Amino acid sequence: MANRIKAIGAGMPKIKLGRRAVTDDLVEFIARSTGLNESGVRQVLLELRDAVLFFNLRGQAVQLEGLGTYTPKISLDGTLGVAHRADNALKEGLNQTGAFKGEILNRENIGKTSDELLALWNAGHPDDPVE
């Protein structure tokens, strides 16, 4: 008998991720878009990282308009980390009609409920149903 999480996970829509854009990609893109030289862009990105760390180490969240908010957090064992909450402009930009150019796997299942995904699993896996 299949597990409910496995069955839903198999049918739910997913974004097929391409190669990760790394710092060099960002530096080149920003330099090309702004006319700034790549070494200057790289330095600004490093300073931005250091600035977020500086304020987070003092218990202050950092809001970067258009990107989001970086907030220091702590776990039960005392380990510190950073929580990121994406800016609404970023989320809205992703959701503009026709803007997304990537590949969506199981696109046909967008809008289906978990019960509908389970029914699809059971129909496709009669030897391994979810109850």
Side-chain angles (χ1 to χ4, degrees):
M1 179 169 45
N3 135 348
R4 181 177 174 86
I5 293 171
K6 175 184 173 184
I8 292 171
M12 66 187 299
K14 300 174 192 73
I15 293 176
K16 181 179 179 183
L17 294 176
R19 183 183 70 82
R20 182 183 312 202
V22 296
T23 302
D24 287 344
D25 299 319
L26 292 173
V27 166
E28 184 180 319
F29 181 88
I30 293 169
R32 188 174 57 242
S33 299
T34 62
L36 298 171
N37 66 48
E38 290 186 10
S39 62
V41 171
R42 185 175 303 280
Q43 184 63 34
V44 168
L45 290 175
L46 291 172
E47 288 298 327
L48 179 58
R49 179 208 55 205
D50 291 348
V52 171
L53 180 59
F54 174 86
F55 288 105
N56 278 190
L57 285 169
R58 282 148 187 77
Q60 295 176 266
V62 176
Q63 181 180 359
L64 298 173
E65 186 177 326
L67 286 179
T69 304
Y70 298 82
T71 306
K73 65 179 185 173
I74 190 166
S75 66
L76 289 173
D77 69 1
T79 303
L80 295 170
V82 178
H84 176 258
R85 188 176 64 243
D87 189 274
N88 285 337
L90 200 56
K91 293 183 271 188
E92 290 165 4
L94 277 170
N95 285 294
Q96 286 182 357
T97 303
F100 186 73
K101 305 300 181 206
E103 182 179 349
I104 298 175
L105 306 172
N106 299 326
R107 180 184 286 273
E108 67 279 5
N109 295 338
I110 291 174
K112 287 189 172 29
T113 65
S114 57
D115 288 338
E116 291 171 316
L117 293 176
L118 291 174
L120 285 172
W121 173 271
N122 288 338
H125 301 85
D127 57 328
D128 191 22
V130 175
E131 289 187 15

